[in-house]
Amino acid sequence: MSSSPPPSSAAASPSCPKKMIALRSSDGETFEIEEAAALQSKTLENMIDEDCAGTPIPLPNVTGKILAKVVEFCSKHAEPGVDDESLRAWDAEFVNVEQATVFDYILAANFLEIPTLLNLTCNVVADMIRGKTPDEIRKFFNIKSIFSPEEEEEVRRENHWAFE
Amino acid sequence: MVDQCRRGHHHQRRHRRRGESEAKEEMSGGSDLPEEILIQILLKLPVKSLVRFRCVSKSWDSLITHPSFVSLHLRHAMAGHDRSVILLRHYSLTQRKERNTLYLDGESFLEHQELEFPLKTHDTYYLAGSCNGLLCFSDYIINNLQVILWNPSLRKCVQLPIPRFIDTDLTHTYVLGFGFDTRRVDYKVVRLIYILGKNWSVIVPPEVEIYELKTNAWRGIQTAVPYVIPESSSQAFVNGAIHWIGYNPADRRLKVASSPRSIVVLFDMQDEVFGEMELPKGGDYANRLNLSLAVHQDLICLLHCHPMEEDGHQLYGVCWVWVMKEYGAADSWTKLFTINISEHGGIGRILGFRKKGDALLVTHNDELVSYDLRGQRISRLGLYGVARSFEVIPYMDCLILV
C-alpha cells in the first residue's frame, strides 16, 4: 500500500482515514480506487469531499472498459518513487492503443478532469494529425465540410507553402 | 447526441472571412470531441499544420483564425520552448545574395530551412526589432517611411499605414522600437521623432507616436521624454519593455560638458511610459558606439566593447558582457564574461546569444562564428557575409497575421 500523505483540502474530515473509493461505470461495473489516486481527478476530488459514506460514485459517462484503464492510470500516477523516465515510458505504452480508444480516454479525462491524462492523450492525437491533409482530417474526425470548392481553393492558394 | 459546435466562451463568430451564410456543421460521429478539447489539441500543432487545417471546414477555419485562438496559441508557444530556432539574415559573400535562413539552435548550429523575404524590392529594409514571432522592418527612407511586420512562420507580411508625422524637409531624425504588450496581448511599434538642432544636436522632447496591430492605427502619446536615443542604437526587448542606449542631454553630472552620461533608456509597452536605468558603475561609457544592448538568457545584457586601435576602426579585441541580474536594480549588474578575440584579429559586431549561451560574432574578416563564453573558443560556421547585414533573430511559430 502506498503511503502518500492525506490530501489537504478544505473539507478534509479527520474522521475519514485514507480509504478506497468505489466508482460505478455506466454499464454497472464497480471499481475500487485508492483515495490518493482518485484525487488525480478534480471531479472525484469534489465528490469525495462531500461524501464520506463510501457509496459508489456513479459515472454515467464512462464505460467499465475505459474506467478500468483510467483507474489504472491514476493509480500509477499516484505511486510514489517512480522516476520521470519510467513514468514517461509507461505513459507511452498506456496510449499505445487504437484511435477510438484514445478518444474514449480523452472524453473520460475531460469528464473526470484529469489534467495529466488529458494532456497525454491530446499530445497523442496532435501527433497523429500533425501531417495529415484536410481530407484525412475530415475522415479522422468524421466531419462534413461545407466549404465551396472556390473558398477552399482561396485558402489553399494564399497558403500554398503549407501544402507542400 | 451533442451536435453543432458551441461557440461557448469563444462568443459569436464575428471574425468571418468569407461572408457566407452561417454553416452549421456537426462535429459528429464516433469521435465526438467537444470544441474545448479540439482547441487543446490544435494548440499543440505548428503553424504549418494549422494553416492547412483551415481547409478542413468552415468552423475549423473560423476557430483557427479567431483572435482568441491566435492569442492562446501565441501564449502556448511563448510558454513552451522545446527547441530554439534562430532566423539568420545576411548578405552572403559566398552566394552573392541575401539569405534568410532558419537554424536549429541546439548543441550545434544546424541549417534547417531557407525562407524568402516577403517583399520583392530593391529597397533595403532594416530590422527595427523583433519579438514573439513577429519582425518589424523599416526602409528608413525619411520622407517615404515604410514599416512592415513579417511573420516568417506564417509566410505573411503586412505594411503599416503611414505614420502621423512625416518629415518633408529632413530637419528631423527618428527612432523606431518594436515590442509586445502582455496586458493587451498586442504588438506595438513606437516611433520617436526628434528635431535636429545646430551642430548635429538633437532637441528634446521628441514627438512620440505608437502603432497597435489590433487597431491597425497610429496614435500620438503625450509624454515629455527627456531622453535622446541615437539613431544608431539598436533595441533589446525584454521584461515587457524596449531598451536602448541613450542619454539625457540635461544631465550635467559628468564634468566633461561634451558628453552626457550614457544610460539605458526604456519604454514600457504596457504603461507606455519611458524610464531609465544606470549602466554598471565605474565604466567609461563616453563613446556610445562601443555600447550595445542584448538579451542573454532572458536578462538585459550590456555589451561594452574596447577597440583594438585608437583610430576608431571599430574592431574590438575585448568585450565585456554584463547582465542585470535583478531587473531595475543597477547594483545587480554583473560582469558575466569577457570575450577576448584579439588574437584572432578582433570582432566587428556581437549579434546575439544562442540558447546555450554562446555568443554569435562577426569577425574582422566578415565571418560569422559562434563563441563559447566559458571556454573562450570559437566554432566556425562556414558563413561569410557583409558585416553590417547580419541579423540574429529568435524565431517562433505563431499565428499572428493569419
Side-chain angles (χ1 to χ4, degrees):
Chain A
M1 288 305 232
S2 50
S3 54
S4 21
S8 55
S9 58
S13 156
S15 62
C16 283
K18 180 169 66 67
K19 63 192 196 303
M20 303 298 282
I21 311 289
L23 308 172
R24 183 175 304 128
S25 68
S26 59
D27 43 2
E29 274 187 75
T30 313
F31 298 87
E32 291 223 305
I33 182 175
E34 275 186 33
E35 190 178 31
L39 291 170
Q40 307 257 328
S41 153
K42 291 194 177 35
T43 310
L44 291 180
E45 184 182 11
N46 293 336
M47 291 174 162
I48 292 171
D49 287 349
E50 295 159 21
D51 178 343
C52 220
T55 52
I57 299 174
L59 301 173
N61 292 40
V62 192
T63 63
K65 170 177 165 230
I66 298 302
L67 188 52
K69 296 300 282 181
V70 171
V71 167
E72 194 187 318
F73 180 89
C74 292
S75 303
K76 181 69 183 182
H77 276 248
E79 252 182 54
V82 183
D83 64 289
D84 282 347
E85 214 180 300
S86 320
L87 194 57
R88 260 202 300 271
W90 190 92
D91 281 350
E93 256 316 292
F94 185 81
V95 288
N96 189 12
V97 292
E98 51 174 49
Q99 176 197 324
T101 313
V102 178
F103 276 56
D104 287 333
Y105 288 169
I106 290 184
L107 292 171
N110 188 47
F111 170 68
L112 290 169
E113 288 183 77
I114 307 171
T116 40
L117 183 56
L118 188 58
N119 191 47
L120 174 67
T121 45
C122 284
N123 273 328
V124 169
V125 176
D127 287 339
M128 280 177 181
I129 66 175
R130 184 182 313 250
K132 288 193 187 304
T133 65
D135 214 34
E136 289 165 347
I137 294 285
R138 285 182 214 123
K139 288 195 180 59
F140 190 86
F141 288 104
N142 208 356
I143 299 171
K144 278 201 275 285
S145 166
I146 317 185
F147 258 141
S148 73
E150 295 83 38
E151 290 167 331
E152 185 175 327
E153 184 52 39
E154 197 191 319
V155 177
R156 274 183 190 263
R157 213 179 331 119
E158 259 178 50
N159 303 288
H160 60 91
W161 59 273
F163 292 83
E164 281 149 25
Chain B
M1 168 171 86
V2 175
D3 45 13
Q4 44 268 44
C5 293
R6 275 179 287 112
R7 286 290 128 190
H9 62 281
H10 283 279
H11 51 84
Q12 317 79 352
R13 214 178 312 177
R14 286 294 90 102
H15 197 65
R16 294 306 300 169
R17 295 189 155 245
R18 280 166 231 301
E20 299 295 322
S21 58
E22 295 273 310
K24 279 193 188 164
E25 275 154 55
E26 307 202 14
M27 311 271 286
S28 63
S31 45
D32 202 352
L33 290 187
E35 188 178 275
E36 68 258 22
I37 295 188
L38 179 63
I39 288 172
Q40 289 304 312
I41 294 171
L42 292 180
L43 281 179
K44 297 175 190 292
L45 294 176
V47 162
K48 186 172 177 180
S49 305
L50 290 172
V51 160
R52 209 164 54 234
F53 296 170
R54 284 183 58 192
C55 283
V56 167
S57 70
K58 274 202 225 268
S59 64
W60 276 50
D61 185 31
S62 239
L63 191 143
I64 289 169
T65 55
H66 196 285
S68 52
F69 180 78
V70 172
S71 294
L72 261 180
H73 187 269
L74 176 62
R75 266 199 254 255
H76 199 257
M78 281 162 64
H81 282 290
D82 27 21
R83 65 174 193 184
S84 171
V85 181
I86 282 180
L87 169 59
L88 178 73
R89 279 172 53 77
H90 74 294
Y91 188 89
S92 166
L93 289 174
T94 41
Q95 295 184 21
R96 302 221 156 268
K97 63 173 183 175
E98 179 187 288
R99 293 191 62 195
N100 296 273
T101 322
L102 293 183
Y103 284 83
L104 297 180
D105 179 26
E107 265 313 303
S108 45
F109 201 62
L110 271 180
E111 185 173 326
H112 175 59
Q113 190 174 21
E114 189 71 23
L115 299 179
E116 245 185 64
F117 193 73
L119 300 180
K120 300 268 183 285
T121 170
H122 291 298
D123 296 332
T124 314
Y125 277 81
Y126 301 96
L127 185 72
S130 74
C131 88
N132 296 344
L134 267 197
L135 283 58
C136 177
F137 289 88
S138 168
D139 65 358
Y140 283 100
I141 295 174
I142 303 283
N143 55 358
N144 185 30
L145 179 70
Q146 306 262 40
V147 182
I148 65 166
L149 296 180
W150 181 30
N151 177 345
S153 72
L154 197 56
R155 315 283 203 273
K156 205 147 173 209
C157 141
V158 296
Q159 185 169 321
L160 266 52
I162 296 180
R164 294 153 51 96
F165 190 92
I166 301 294
D167 175 12
T168 51
D169 50 5
L170 306 183
T171 52
H172 296 73
T173 177
Y174 62 89
V175 172
L176 273 188
F178 180 65
F180 186 78
D181 177 347
T182 45
R183 203 183 295 151
R184 288 182 46 79
V185 196
D186 197 14
Y187 296 83
K188 292 178 175 171
V189 180
V190 64
R191 182 169 178 248
L192 294 83
I193 304 104
Y194 292 95
I195 299 173
L196 284 173
K198 295 190 176 54
N199 302 325
W200 306 114
S201 69
V202 156
I203 297 177
V204 289
E207 296 254 358
V208 183
E209 52 180 336
I210 293 186
Y211 169 87
E212 288 177 51
L213 184 58
K214 281 188 173 163
T215 58
N216 192 31
W218 293 90
R219 59 181 158 84
I221 61 170
Q222 298 306 317
T223 168
V225 188
Y227 308 112
V228 174
I229 299 165
E231 246 181 5
S232 55
S233 246
S234 56
Q235 71 169 51
F237 179 77
V238 69
N239 257 32
I242 305 176
H243 305 76
W244 302 270
I245 295 289
Y247 61 93
N248 183 340
D251 180 356
R252 291 286 150 216
R253 255 181 280 186
L254 267 191
K255 301 289 192 291
V256 179
S258 59
S259 186
R261 201 166 62 99
S262 297
I263 50 175
V264 175
V265 177
L266 64 98
F267 180 70
D268 181 294
M269 299 306 289
Q270 281 72 230
D271 296 329
E272 297 184 354
V273 291
F274 285 86
E276 64 179 270
M277 297 195 298
E278 281 183 36
L279 293 174
K281 284 193 170 48
D284 174 14
Y285 305 122
N287 189 346
R288 279 177 278 276
L289 291 177
N290 298 339
L291 303 172
S292 64
L293 294 175
V295 181
H296 183 269
Q297 298 180 329
D298 296 325
L299 295 177
I300 184 82
C301 166
L302 170 73
L303 301 166
H304 185 186
C305 299
H306 305 274
M308 284 175 69
E309 291 149 11
E310 283 310 314
D311 63 1
H313 265 260
Q314 264 156 46
L315 260 193
Y316 301 110
V318 170
C319 185
W320 293 338
V321 180
W322 295 80
V323 294
M324 187 185 258
K325 293 220 154 156
E326 206 189 299
Y327 186 78
D331 49 12
S332 72
W333 278 112
T334 308
K335 190 192 291 188
L336 268 192
F337 299 104
T338 299
I339 296 176
N340 191 338
I341 189 173
S342 17
E343 287 163 24
H344 302 271
I347 41 175
R349 289 176 65 199
I350 301 178
L351 299 176
F353 296 98
R354 290 171 55 184
K355 183 160 187 186
K356 63 175 183 167
D358 279 28
L360 287 164
L361 318 172
V362 183
T363 65
H364 69 288
N365 55 354
D366 300 328
E367 186 184 356
L368 178 73
V369 299
S370 179
Y371 180 88
D372 171 6
L373 295 171
R374 278 206 179 77
Q376 305 214 319
R377 262 190 315 272
I378 293 183
S379 305
R380 307 186 67 172
L381 305 168
L383 290 166
Y384 297 84
V386 173
R388 285 191 53 82
S389 73
F390 280 101
E391 297 280 6
V392 160
I393 305 159
Y395 171 90
M396 203 170 83
D397 214 46
C398 85
L399 282 173
I400 301 287
L401 304 185
V402 71

